[in-house]
Amino acid sequence: MKYRLLILLFSFFYFTVLSQVSKNSIQQLKLDFINESVDTVKVLKLIKVAEYYESSVNFDSAYFYYNKAIKLAEKNKNQIYIAKSYKKQAINCFYSNKYIDALENFENALLAYETLNDNVQTADIFNFIGRVYSLIFREDQAIQYFLKSLNLYENNLNDKNGVAMNYVDIGNLYYSQENYEFASKYFDDALKLYVELNDESGIATCYTNLGNVFADNNNISKGLYYYYKSIEIEEKTNFKDGIATNYNNIGDCYIGLKQYKEANLYFEKALNIVNENDASDLRVIIYYNLADLNTKQNKLNEAINYSLESYNLSKEIGDLEFQILNLLSLSDSYDKLGNFSQSYYYLKKYNKLKDSVFDKEKRKNVGLFHALNELENKRVTINELSSKSQLAEIKYENEKKISYVLIILMTIFVIFLVISIHLHTDKKKAYNLLEFKNHQINKMNEEIQKQTLKLKRLNSTKDKFFSIIAHDLKNPFNSIQGFTELLIDHYKEYNDEKKLKFLKIIKGSSLKASNLLSNLLLWANNQSDNMSFNPKKLELAMVVSESISFVEIQAYNKEINIINNVDSHIFVYADENMIDTVLRNLVSNSIKFTYAKGEVQIYAIVKGDFVEISVKDNGIGIPPEELKNLFNIEVKNTSIGTANEHGSGLGLILCKDFVEKNGGKIWVESTLNVGSEFWFSLPLYKN
């Protein structure tokens, strides 16, 4: 059960701002209003009183005072305060789930702000209206308003933050329809803008939403990757609710992977944060997920306890959806225990509540339909009344000033005007549809360009693959073939020393070919996504020791000392085979570029939720101009070792792929003639 972050973040920000109002005494605020004589200032005083009640989640009292502000502003015909009061009332209705009232107030605010030519507020209200329509499942209306808002932010205001906000909302719209391809595109577009703006809150939100998209689309490893990236930022910004949300989502992913111990670990971490912050809505979800986790492990009594916790808490906060889910879970658990009376008891409660909710939803949907129709009729009535009023004034003036001929001409003009308006309305609808289609076509063109670039990269990768086979793999086999033929043809002529020299050359070439083939096969499997990914708890010092054992002969031949400084108490969460490959390649590289009787050291340090591992040598170092392309497959990076060892440069590419697949990153620090230090990070395993 995923718990998305966007609305949570927005609500948190909104009520944090409002909570500043609550520092003042409500009695003092009301007294200030009574003593104020200027009407326009009185409007602001009323808004402050309403904001006080809103910050206390007393939405009804806030509604009353916002209405008073609206009436006073309209009485004074002050468009700025009319617009401000209507928007405040609309947002109050939005957060108290009065969506039809919210739409009506947003429409009134929109009319005032359009009169004032205030594009900033107009764009914001378009976005709000889109959100309201998405919450009442009118996705066709929602997308139109999001696109209107996007158009203003992008073309009129050049506001990248507003553009990114609309991308996230459109992404959520597609996510709710399980259109994961389009959802990920919009979240990715928003992410790029938030990175450009250095907006850590927006970046973390996009990472969480991308995690949801990939996890729900059965790409759990990529989903986990984005959740960890989101947590990394939220820990810096100390956004506890966001961290707890991501921990909950990670736990849910591990249930899907059937790694129940890890799932329990992350649910407990989420619960600890939620208990500190008293976030009841998230606690309901975590308890429900813990019940699901224990059910899958056949720990039915524990599952029942968690379901009861979730059920009782969901009753307190009025969450009917989780009441229903927990009643069904309790019935199933008791049924599996063989306690059929209790199972039947909870099943009856489940059916009763489900039927009740269904009836309420049905009545609510009918009411919503009528309310939307009523809102539409009000719009038509307002337009009709406005038109009738204008006609009456024109007729009255014409009766006093001009003859019946002009009245007839005016009537013709009015008819022509109505037809023009009708044609203009149709044209506007067609334009909106065309604008939406153009937007979709542009997105598709962008995707085609991305796919073209991807194909070019794949083609370059293929060329690199064949280049390695044609050149780097061909050389050792030529060497083996040539020296083998020499031995066969001149075996009796050569003395033992020369034979031994040739055999050593053949052995070295065989070892080089074997290592290259091993890396080629691993890399090819990884590129085609055929390689399994099985992260688990690993004792880092043991993995390092086993990796060293594979390259001991290489180190022994050059009299190089390898020192394992890794603490035996450090554990990481990663795929063992991949990390073993990374370590072997990095240590082998260090040996290759270190002079005889040199030294290679391996050590690790814990930083937050990650472990940073270093492979350091005192060899020849790497030139600065080669550092930036060291992990780039499109640039051939091959250098001769201190003992004339050759390589393909593929090992480092493989290291980068494997480290990033495990949620870490890799980098290098090097000084010529002093040595190189390769670093990579892995997620820390915590009990």
Side-chain angles (χ1 to χ4, degrees):
M1 178 70 64
K2 300 290 183 302
Y3 188 81
R4 286 189 292 152
L5 193 59
L6 177 71
I7 299 299
L8 177 67
L9 271 174
F10 188 88
S11 304
F12 174 80
F13 171 77
Y14 181 71
F15 288 112
T16 301
V17 172
L18 286 182
S19 66
Q20 296 170 4
V21 180
S22 64
K23 294 175 183 176
N24 298 317
S25 163
I26 185 62
Q27 289 83 5
Q28 185 62 48
L29 286 172
K30 289 181 179 179
L31 191 62
D32 289 345
F33 164 71
I34 293 167
N35 294 332
E36 183 57 57
S37 58
V38 181
D39 280 352
T40 52
V41 181
K42 270 190 166 187
V43 173
L44 292 176
K45 300 286 185 186
L46 283 168
I47 288 173
K48 282 191 176 181
V49 174
E51 285 176 341
Y52 173 89
Y53 284 114
E54 199 169 14
S55 68
S56 307
V57 201
N58 187 342
F59 294 114
D60 290 338
S61 295
Y63 187 92
F64 173 77
Y65 283 101
Y66 280 136
N67 256 1
K68 289 189 73 171
I70 289 167
K71 288 175 183 176
L72 190 55
E74 286 185 331
K75 177 186 171 185
N76 288 278
K77 297 182 180 178
N78 187 312
Q79 286 295 320
I80 293 173
Y81 290 118
I82 289 171
K84 184 181 179 72
S85 302
Y86 271 123
K87 186 183 178 187
K88 286 281 187 181
Q89 181 69 292
I91 293 173
N92 176 59
C93 294
F94 178 82
Y95 285 111
S96 56
N97 303 327
K98 298 175 182 175
Y99 298 127
I100 299 304
D101 287 343
L103 279 175
E104 192 168 357
N105 282 285
F106 276 132
E107 291 280 0
N108 288 328
L110 185 62
L111 187 63
Y113 279 124
E114 285 179 334
T115 303
L116 293 165
N117 292 319
D118 190 334
N119 283 336
V120 174
Q121 292 293 338
T122 301
D124 190 44
I125 290 173
F126 278 150
N127 177 266
F128 259 117
I129 294 174
R131 291 186 185 190
V132 175
Y133 276 122
S134 68
L135 288 169
I136 60 176
F137 308 106
R138 294 288 295 270
E139 291 86 355
D140 54 335
Q141 294 278 68
I143 192 71
Q144 285 187 31
Y145 278 98
F146 286 143
L147 288 172
K148 285 180 181 180
S149 177
L150 181 64
N151 182 53
L152 277 177
Y153 278 124
E154 198 166 29
N155 298 321
N156 295 66
L157 301 170
N158 195 25
D159 184 340
K160 291 181 180 178
N161 192 64
V163 173
M165 176 180 68
N166 278 287
Y167 280 156
V168 171
D169 285 328
I170 295 170
N172 274 312
L173 207 59
Y174 282 119
Y175 175 79
S176 67
Q177 296 174 327
E178 297 184 12
N179 188 337
Y180 299 126
E181 182 183 357
F182 273 76
S184 66
K185 286 176 187 173
Y186 279 101
F187 289 144
D188 196 51
D189 286 345
L191 177 61
K192 289 171 186 172
L193 286 173
Y194 282 131
V195 168
E196 189 178 335
L197 293 165
N198 198 26
D199 184 337
E200 292 184 326
S201 175
I203 294 168
T205 299
C206 289
Y207 281 151
T208 298
N209 288 349
L210 281 166
N212 288 340
V213 167
F214 285 109
D216 285 358
N217 202 21
N218 296 319
N219 192 343
I220 293 177
S221 62
K222 200 163 185 179
L224 288 170
Y225 167 76
Y226 280 113
Y227 291 141
Y228 284 125
K229 286 179 77 71
S230 181
I231 290 169
E232 191 177 340
I233 294 172
E234 285 162 348
E235 284 180 338
K236 282 198 296 181
T237 58
N238 198 33
F239 183 43
K240 297 292 186 183
D241 284 355
I243 296 169
T245 297
N246 279 299
Y247 280 154
N248 172 73
N249 292 353
I250 291 169
D252 187 67
C253 285
Y254 280 123
I255 290 179
L257 291 170
K258 297 183 179 180
Q259 296 181 19
Y260 301 131
K261 187 176 179 181
E262 285 75 14
N264 187 70
L265 170 70
Y266 278 96
F267 286 139
E268 290 296 334
K269 288 169 79 170
L271 202 55
N272 288 337
I273 295 173
V274 167
N275 288 336
E276 287 176 14
N277 292 3
D278 195 28
S280 299
D281 51 351
L282 188 49
R283 191 184 294 118
V284 167
I285 296 169
I286 296 167
Y287 280 142
Y288 177 76
N289 283 344
L290 281 165
D292 181 42
L293 173 64
N294 281 281
T295 299
K296 284 182 167 55
Q297 297 177 88
N298 209 28
K299 298 177 181 178
L300 298 175
N301 288 318
E302 289 89 338
I304 287 168
N305 290 335
Y306 281 121
S307 291
L308 285 170
E309 290 275 8
S310 181
Y311 173 70
N312 292 329
L313 193 56
S314 60
K315 279 185 72 177
E316 284 180 27
I317 64 175
D319 191 327
L320 292 172
E321 180 187 359
F322 275 93
Q323 288 180 52
I324 291 170
L325 289 170
N326 281 297
L327 286 171
L328 184 61
S329 176
L330 285 163
S331 175
D332 288 343
S333 295
Y334 277 115
D335 182 62
K336 289 173 183 175
L337 282 172
N339 191 338
F340 302 118
S341 61
Q342 281 292 90
S343 175
Y344 181 65
Y345 168 75
Y346 283 110
L347 185 61
K348 278 203 307 182
K349 291 189 74 172
Y350 162 78
N351 286 324
K352 184 178 179 182
L353 183 58
K354 186 180 176 185
D355 291 342
S356 171
V357 169
F358 177 77
D359 289 340
K360 284 181 183 176
E361 284 296 316
K362 188 176 178 182
R363 289 195 298 273
K364 183 179 176 184
N365 287 336
V366 171
L368 184 63
F369 174 77
H370 288 306
L372 284 170
N373 278 340
E374 188 179 339
L375 181 62
E376 192 62 36
N377 289 333
K378 281 182 183 177
R379 289 178 191 158
V380 173
T381 303
I382 288 168
N383 291 333
E384 286 177 353
L385 287 172
S386 177
S387 297
K388 285 178 182 178
S389 176
Q390 289 174 11
L391 284 169
E393 286 179 15
I394 292 166
K395 185 177 179 182
Y396 176 73
E397 290 296 324
N398 286 337
E399 281 177 351
K400 290 195 303 180
K401 295 178 182 178
I402 56 176
S403 67
Y404 287 104
V405 175
L406 292 177
I407 295 173
I408 295 167
L409 290 173
M410 186 55 69
T411 305
I412 294 169
F413 174 74
V414 170
I415 293 169
F416 175 75
L417 186 64
V418 170
I419 294 169
S420 297
I421 290 169
H422 180 72
L423 291 172
H424 178 71
T425 303
D426 288 343
K427 184 179 177 182
K428 192 173 181 181
K429 286 180 181 177
Y431 175 77
N432 285 338
L433 181 61
L434 181 62
E435 185 180 18
F436 175 65
K437 294 297 182 186
N438 283 338
H439 184 77
Q440 294 295 83
I441 289 166
N442 288 336
K443 299 302 291 183
M444 289 173 71
N445 284 336
E446 286 177 15
E447 182 59 25
I448 290 167
Q449 289 175 2
K450 287 178 184 176
Q451 293 296 329
T452 303
L453 287 173
K454 185 178 179 182
L455 285 170
K456 285 181 179 177
R457 285 196 297 270
L458 286 172
N459 195 44
S460 175
T461 301
K462 178 205 70 177
D463 292 342
K464 174 72 176 176
F465 185 84
F466 285 121
S467 170
I468 291 168
I469 293 173
H471 182 268
D472 297 303
L473 195 57
K474 181 181 177 182
N475 287 342
F477 281 120
N478 283 343
S479 178
I480 293 167
Q481 182 182 354
F483 283 103
T484 304
E485 286 176 356
L486 281 173
L487 275 174
I488 292 169
D489 293 341
H490 305 284
Y491 188 81
K492 292 181 180 180
E493 299 171 20
Y494 293 151
N495 56 31
D496 290 342
E497 185 181 348
K498 197 163 190 176
K499 290 175 184 175
L500 182 60
K501 180 182 177 181
F502 283 8
L503 286 171
K504 284 181 179 179
I505 293 170
I506 291 169
K507 179 187 175 185
S509 297
S510 301
L511 184 61
K512 179 185 174 184
S514 175
N515 289 337
L516 182 56
L517 272 172
S518 177
N519 278 342
L520 271 172
L521 289 171
L522 286 170
W523 180 68
N525 274 331
N526 186 52
Q527 291 296 307
S528 58
D529 292 328
N530 289 329
M531 195 164 189
S532 61
F533 178 61
N534 299 305
K536 63 180 181 179
K537 176 184 177 183
L538 300 175
E539 184 181 346
L540 186 58
M542 184 65 70
V543 177
V544 171
S545 295
E546 289 175 359
S547 300
I548 290 172
S549 67
F550 281 99
V551 294
E552 277 181 339
I553 295 298
Q554 185 184 353
Y556 176 79
N557 289 336
K558 294 180 75 172
E559 298 182 66
I560 289 172
N561 189 23
I562 304 176
I563 302 170
N564 182 359
N565 293 316
V566 178
D567 194 319
S568 61
H569 299 296
I570 296 177
F571 293 89
V572 295
Y573 187 73
D575 184 287
E576 186 173 8
N577 291 329
M578 290 185 180
I579 303 311
D580 178 62
T581 301
V582 171
L583 283 164
R584 277 194 285 118
N585 272 288
L586 292 181
V587 175
S588 178
N589 260 11
S590 291
I591 294 168
K592 174 181 172 182
F593 294 107
T594 300
Y595 292 106
K597 299 185 179 179
E599 186 175 86
V600 175
Q601 291 193 54
I602 305 160
Y603 54 93
I605 52 175
V606 177
K607 283 192 177 180
D609 282 341
F610 287 85
V611 179
E612 292 184 355
I613 302 109
S614 165
V615 179
K616 183 178 182 181
D617 63 60
N618 56 358
I620 61 176
I622 303 167
E625 63 272 12
E626 291 183 13
L627 280 174
K628 61 182 179 181
N629 291 318
L630 209 56
F631 299 102
N632 186 357
I633 192 164
E634 294 179 10
V635 179
K636 189 171 177 66
N637 295 299
T638 55
S639 300
I640 307 299
T642 55
N644 292 318
E645 302 102 321
H646 292 264
S648 66
L650 188 61
L652 289 178
I653 307 301
L654 199 60
C655 290
K656 181 177 183 293
D657 286 353
F658 283 179
V659 168
E660 289 178 352
K661 198 154 193 173
N662 281 273
K665 56 185 179 179
I666 188 167
W667 66 100
V668 61
E669 298 167 3
S670 184
T671 305
L672 275 176
N673 302 319
V674 175
S676 302
E677 187 169 9
F678 282 82
W679 289 88
F680 67 96
S681 60
L682 294 172
L684 177 68
Y685 183 91
K686 293 181 180 179
N687 290 324

